[in-house]
Amino acid sequence: SDVCSSDLVYICEDDTKQLQTLQQLVSKVIIDRQLDMGFGLTSADPHEILAHVKSQQPTQAVFLLDIALNSDINGIQLASQIRDLGIRSKIIFVTTHTELSLTVFQYQVEALDFILKDFPDRLYERLNTVLRVAQERFKAEDNDQNSYIQIKIGETIRSLDVQHVLFFESSMSPHKIIVHLDDGELEYYGLLKDVPDLNSDFYRCHKSYVVNLTRIRSLDKRYRQLTMANGETVLCSAAASRYLVRQIGKNNR
C-alpha cells in the first residue's frame, strides 16, 4: 500500500481564524501523542476537500467538519458525499449548532464525535481524545479479520462481512452489480472494475465476475470455471486461471 500509511486529517471550516486554531491544535495533539497522522488538506471550501479526496484516494482519513459552511452544501452533506467515495473515514463535526445533530441521523452519516466550538479551552482535550480513538479504531479494523465492506443500496449503506461474500457479477441491468452472499444476493449500482479495491481478497477472474479468493472451493482448468464454497460456478479467463492455480496452490500449502 502507500509509502506513507499514516492517517490523513482533513479540516473544513469557513472561519479563517477557527481553521487556523483547529490546525494548530490538531498538530499539537499529533506531536504530543506521537500519532501516526498527517494533514491531507485544510480548507474553507467543501468542494476543494472533495476534489482533493477524490484525486488522492487516501487509504484512511479523519475529517473535522464544520456543519454550517458558507457554501451550497453544509458539513453534513459534505460528510455524506465523502462516505459515498467509499474510503475508510472517521468523521468529527466541530460546530456551534447542537440542534443539527438530528440532521446527521437523517443523512445516515456515522459521526465519531461532535465537538462544540463554544468551549475553546476544552477543544484541545476533545481533539486529543477523539484523534486517539480514531487511530485506535482504524488499527482495530486492520486487525479485524472479519473486515467489512460497504455498499450503497438505494439510500442506505449496507455493511457486508467479507467472510460471507462469495462473488460479484455484472447484472443484466446496466451499471449494476449482483453480490452473492452466503444468505442470498443483493443488487446495487456500481462498476465491477472497482470491486477489487474494496478488499484484497476480491479478484477479477473474468470480465463479468469478481470472486472472493478465500471462498473458492475448486478450479476446473479445462472448462475454466471456479466452484465457489456454496457450489455455484463462476467463469474464469485463461490468464485468471493461470494466476489462480498459483494462488490456490499457496492457500492449500
Side-chain angles (χ1 to χ4, degrees):
S1 75
D2 303 338
V3 187
C4 151
S5 66
S6 60
D7 307 337
L8 292 180
V9 180
Y10 289 82
I11 304 176
C12 193
E13 160 65 71
D14 60 359
D15 175 320
T16 323
K17 202 164 172 307
Q18 284 276 358
L19 186 62
Q20 280 178 331
T21 305
L22 280 171
Q23 201 170 347
Q24 285 160 354
L25 289 175
V26 169
S27 298
K28 188 166 159 39
V29 171
I30 291 172
I31 293 163
D32 292 352
R33 288 279 157 206
Q34 298 184 320
L35 296 178
D36 190 8
M37 287 183 179
F39 281 103
L41 180 70
T42 59
S43 170
D45 179 5
H47 297 289
E48 193 185 355
I49 297 270
L50 270 176
H52 192 273
V53 175
K54 270 184 195 154
S55 70
Q56 298 300 311
Q57 291 285 319
T59 332
Q60 39 195 47
V62 177
F63 293 89
L64 287 165
L65 308 177
D66 181 16
I67 291 184
L69 293 167
N70 189 10
S71 176
D72 60 337
I73 60 170
N74 64 29
I76 298 167
Q77 290 161 317
L78 170 60
S80 176
Q81 291 187 33
I82 288 165
R83 282 271 185 256
D84 288 346
L85 295 177
I87 61 161
R88 294 173 61 191
S89 54
K90 301 288 170 225
I91 288 168
I92 300 151
F93 290 112
V94 185
T95 181
T96 40
H97 307 271
T98 36
E99 73 281 0
L100 284 169
S101 53
L102 284 172
T103 338
V104 172
F105 294 109
Q106 285 166 3
Y107 275 93
Q108 297 184 322
V109 175
E110 215 182 301
L112 194 57
D113 203 359
F114 280 89
I115 297 177
L116 292 180
K117 294 179 189 173
D118 316 346
F119 306 105
D121 50 330
R122 289 199 209 147
L123 209 48
Y124 173 80
E125 269 317 307
R126 287 298 293 272
L127 287 168
N128 188 358
T129 309
V130 77
L131 291 176
R132 277 204 342 261
V133 169
Q135 185 165 297
E136 280 159 16
R137 291 266 174 98
F138 278 137
K139 284 213 172 89
E141 286 163 15
D142 281 340
N143 301 334
D144 186 3
Q145 288 314 304
N146 358 337
S147 55
Y148 286 83
I149 55 164
Q150 292 186 322
I151 59 171
K152 194 172 184 196
I153 298 174
E155 288 309 300
T156 51
I157 298 226
R158 283 279 301 269
S159 285
L160 305 177
D161 187 334
V162 169
Q163 293 185 87
H164 297 312
V165 174
L166 293 151
F167 64 95
F168 298 78
E169 67 172 318
S170 313
S171 160
M172 300 299 277
S173 322
H175 311 303
K176 278 193 149 183
I177 299 172
I178 299 166
V179 51
H180 293 253
L181 305 159
D182 285 330
D183 55 359
E185 47 189 60
L186 296 166
E187 194 173 40
Y188 70 99
Y189 278 104
L191 298 172
L192 206 60
K193 71 175 177 64
D194 297 335
V195 172
D197 296 338
L198 295 174
N199 189 280
S200 56
D201 286 328
F202 294 164
Y203 173 70
R204 188 160 186 185
C205 60
H206 184 273
K207 66 180 191 319
S208 308
Y209 294 100
V210 170
V211 289
N212 183 345
L213 292 172
T214 65
R215 305 298 310 279
I216 297 172
R217 189 190 290 167
S218 62
L219 160 64
D220 182 330
K221 280 190 296 200
R222 192 156 134 229
Y223 292 106
R224 289 205 202 122
Q225 64 176 17
L226 299 169
T227 303
M228 304 309 291
N230 66 344
E232 282 190 87
T233 55
V234 167
L235 296 172
C236 185
S237 71
S241 140
R242 287 192 293 274
Y243 169 80
L244 289 168
V245 169
R246 295 197 303 273
Q247 279 305 110
I248 292 168
K250 264 188 222 159
N251 294 349
N252 294 340
R253 251 175 232 164

